[in-house]
């Protein structure tokens, strides 16, 4: 379903009005975006690629959170705990909720 207010006829930007569904944002090239300097958390694309390659050499754990239907947006902080109950901060993720959540 289209997201408000992007789908409204009062939106003067025809591109965002046409591509107003959340899934449409993944094809950012159709919006005519070009980047002179694209950074992610302060890293250039080559720096980010190098960091990803270095991290791929280490063991990883994957955790899947199914929060469908939460109906609200939130920042979630979580800890990992060992068998002795000692917990350490493990990360943060964002939930974009509401009537059009994916």
């Amino acid at each position: 379903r289209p997201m408000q207010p992007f789908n409204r006829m009062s939106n003067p930007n025809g591109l965002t009005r046409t591509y107003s569904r959340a899934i449409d944002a993944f094809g950012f090239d159709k919006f005519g975006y070009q980047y002179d300097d694209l950074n992610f958390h302060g890293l250039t694309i080559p720096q980010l690629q190098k960091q990803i390659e270095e991290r791929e050499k280490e063991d990883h754990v994957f955790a899947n959170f199914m929060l469908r239907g939460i109906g609200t947006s939130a920042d979630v902080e979580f800890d990992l705990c060992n068998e002795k109950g000692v917990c350490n901060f493990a990360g943060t993720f964002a939930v974009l909720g509401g009537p059009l959540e994916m």
Side-chain angles (χ1 to χ4, degrees), residues 64-85:
N64 185 16
F65 298 90
M66 297 297 291
L67 298 174
R68 188 171 283 132
I70 194 170
T72 188
S73 296
D75 287 330
V76 179
E77 295 181 357
F78 61 99
D79 297 341
L80 288 180
C81 304
N82 65 20
E83 66 279 357
K84 295 179 181 177

Side-chain angles (χ1 to χ4, degrees), residues 35-45 47-48:
Y35 297 97
D36 292 329
D37 183 23
L38 180 60
N39 285 280
F40 183 77
H41 288 280
L43 299 174
T44 64
I45 298 305
Q47 291 170 327
L48 180 61

Side-chain angles (χ1 to χ4, degrees), residues 2 20 22 30-31 49 51-52 55 70 73 81 96:
S20 62
K30 68 181 135 224
F31 295 108
Q49 181 64 37
Q51 186 176 71
I52 289 169
R55 288 185 176 182
I70 194 170
S73 296
C81 304
L96 300 175

